[in-house]
Amino acid sequence: MVHRALPTPRPRGAPLLLALACLAFATSASARGRYYNHSGSIETSHPAWMSWVPGSTSLAALSLPGTHDTMAYQSYGGDLTQTQSLDLRSQLDAGVRALDIRCRHIDNAFTIHHGVVYLHVNFDDVLRTTIQFLNANPTETVVMRVKKEHTEENVTRGFAQTFEWYRDQPAYSPYIWRGAHVPTLGEVRGRIVILDDFAGGAYGIPWGALDLQDAWTVDELADIDDKWFKVRDHLTRTNTGAPGTLFVNFLSGSSALAYPLHVAGGINILGIQTRGVNDYAIDHLVGGNVQRAGVMMMDFPGAGLIDAILALNFRLLPTASTLPSEFGTIFRNTAYTMGGDAEARWYGIRSFVHNAAPGRSWHVLALKSSWGAWMHYNGNFLQSDSMDDYTHLAFTTRTVTSTVGPAYLASFVNGQLGSLSGGAGERATQLHGRLSARFPFQLWSVVVKKSPGGLSNWAYSDYGRGYKTTSGDYTYAVQGYSAADGVYLHEHGGYEGNVLHLTSYVAHLGNLGFNDVASSVTVLGPYQATLCEHIDLTGRCFTTSQSLSDINAAPNGPWNDQVSSLTVSPR
């Protein structure tokens, strides 16, 4: 289990102990840099993300970041022909797994072009870099569209024959998969999967067999919205389409009046902002509107956009598994899309984590300045950078079950407040320690917020058993969850009052201060309890494997305040 002390947390069960100072983290890039990137570096890294995807997964089930005109990362033809800012290896290391390679057939070899513009790289360069990457990361596969571009010159054989010559080279042949069906990931780890856009499927998956959106003409800036609508509609078709079909969706577009960088990243002219397709796309993905994205071919993708696509692949993992650690990077980058007050940000983060990793008990918080927290969690703990003075948190717990009654919890917390001291962080740590000592059978999180409060300044998930109160300048939010399996005796009916957790035989409850006290019983997990009227399991007895809000509901009663011994056993 993990504990965490932070400037803005609030979790549930955990597997390790961490402590962080209550500090705001400076943002390292603008939100725009999260969906659009026009620099030679990028703030994400996923060189081996496929390592955690089951090998039985069809390539069609994956959500793959890809790049349109992959090798057009230098401005040899100016802004009209440049579509990327990262070289090929940097794209692959960032998580891109689909490439768009345009080959001009010249002198019986392939040079790489964007239209008429030679990009000063050749097909050998593409294959060598890709194979170097695969050798360093053998769990990965790279999908490569190969397309005939521009005019042929000085050739004595066909385009397909020249491709075959490359494919059969000893340095390349072991790495180029020779199938034409949509494979599983396990079939093609460490290999290049060709999307054959030149020979009808003789050398790879036929381009014509794909479900494709590539409406690349954007006549003017005002038409960017229309391009986005086409992308969005194809995402909807991908979600509901045949599971074995490979869907490819181009976000790119251009014309003489709408250059690729503006279609992708938007533009501000005289104070009037035109949004780019990448901006629309990241909001749509992070908003939980997509479960399978297919292959998304992009211009100038930012770290957040790449990560928002990759996040959908966590849906392929068993819900009981702990998410890979790189989900933390993805969470930080996608959190930059959040805006508004704390409540709006909370809803945004909640939509994202529940869509990317469903079937888990997520706790979500959005906090603005002057806060402190200490929490337990089971599995994953995620924290964003500080942005606009807000921090976003999400963590998982085993269950949301608490066995401490709400009135008893309120009474205990209220009794502690007067002796707490220091700032928000110190108070959270002190209160969390007292709750954990008094009720060690379950997990706790405590968030303390210095005024002002309200949903504009903090918002959090109210799962498990919670209590919130204000004392002086501080508001305290306490949450209990992940109660351990076993049998719980409660002092009062309705699971209220003092509570005792048991997992074995107790000859005399008086030794634990609970003789003739129990009025209700909670049973969690594969247990049953036999409760008896006198010590040493004598007198009247009854057995239950169910929780009882009123112990008198058991047979042979009345039983209220009359139990003196019990035994707990597996069932």
Side-chain angles (χ1 to χ4, degrees), residues 154-272:
N154 193 31
V155 297
T156 60
R157 61 190 177 195
F159 187 98
Q161 285 67 49
T162 294
F163 175 84
E164 191 170 326
W165 179 84
Y166 279 104
R167 184 198 64 182
D168 292 343
Q169 293 298 305
Y172 305 148
S173 181
Y175 298 93
I176 298 177
W177 182 67
R178 301 202 179 200
H181 64 280
V182 177
T184 64
L185 180 57
E187 290 180 78
V188 292
R189 290 194 195 272
R191 316 286 276 295
I192 299 168
V193 176
I194 300 297
L195 301 183
D196 178 356
D197 193 13
F198 61 91
Y203 298 95
I205 300 172
W207 188 252
L210 309 178
D211 198 316
L212 176 68
Q213 182 285 123
D214 188 16
W216 64 269
T217 301
V218 178
D219 290 325
E220 57 185 357
L221 295 174
D223 295 328
I224 294 175
D225 285 359
D226 185 60
K227 170 63 183 182
W228 160 242
F229 296 148
K230 291 179 172 66
V231 172
R232 182 196 61 192
D233 292 347
H234 200 65
L235 282 170
T236 300
R237 288 193 293 275
T238 305
N239 262 336
T240 59
T245 298
L246 196 59
F247 288 78
V248 178
N249 199 349
F250 280 81
L251 281 66
S252 52
S254 67
S255 72
L257 298 178
Y259 286 4
L261 75 165
H262 299 139
V263 174
I267 186 172
N268 189 302
I269 301 176
L270 299 176
I272 300 174

Side-chain angles (χ1 to χ4, degrees), residues 506-510 514-516 531-537 562-566:
V506 179
H508 186 11
L509 285 168
F514 231 83
N515 189 50
D516 293 341
L531 298 90
C532 296
E533 179 182 17
H534 303 310
I535 64 172
D536 299 321
L537 301 181
Q562 296 189 39
V563 174
S564 295
S565 61
L566 89 165

Side-chain angles (χ1 to χ4, degrees), residues 301-380:
L305 182 53
I306 291 172
D307 285 357
I309 298 168
L310 289 182
L312 299 176
N313 295 299
F314 292 107
R315 299 178 58 86
L316 304 171
L317 301 181
T319 57
S321 64
T322 298
L323 297 170
S325 60
E326 62 191 303
F327 194 50
T329 299
I330 290 172
F331 182 82
R332 285 194 303 276
N333 281 324
T334 54
Y336 276 86
T337 66
M338 303 303 158
D341 62 12
E343 183 178 18
R345 292 165 183 269
W346 179 87
Y347 277 111
I349 292 294
R350 182 179 181 275
S351 295
F352 172 70
V353 296
H354 280 283
N355 185 64
R360 292 168 170 82
S361 297
W362 281 105
H363 295 250
V364 176
L365 306 91
L367 300 141
K368 184 177 183 179
S369 66
S370 302
W371 58 270
W374 187 277
M375 59 264 292
H376 286 96
Y377 63 94
N378 298 118
N380 294 90

Side-chain angles (χ1 to χ4, degrees), residues 111-189:
T111 57
I112 308 303
H113 272 240
H114 184 176
V116 301
V117 177
Y118 174 47
L119 299 176
H120 295 259
V121 289
N122 301 321
F123 197 47
D124 285 302
D125 301 313
V126 172
L127 291 176
R128 288 190 194 110
T129 299
T130 305
I131 288 168
Q132 287 169 1
F133 170 79
L134 291 172
N135 280 331
N137 302 282
T139 60
E140 308 305 287
T141 189
V142 175
V143 176
M144 183 184 294
R145 177 206 192 180
V146 177
K147 178 182 182 294
K148 185 177 181 179
E149 191 87 345
H150 196 34
T151 59
E152 293 188 331
E153 182 178 325
N154 193 31
V155 297
T156 60
R157 61 190 177 195
F159 187 98
Q161 285 67 49
T162 294
F163 175 84
E164 191 170 326
W165 179 84
Y166 279 104
R167 184 198 64 182
D168 292 343
Q169 293 298 305
Y172 305 148
S173 181
Y175 298 93
I176 298 177
W177 182 67
R178 301 202 179 200
H181 64 280
V182 177
T184 64
L185 180 57
E187 290 180 78
V188 292
R189 290 194 195 272

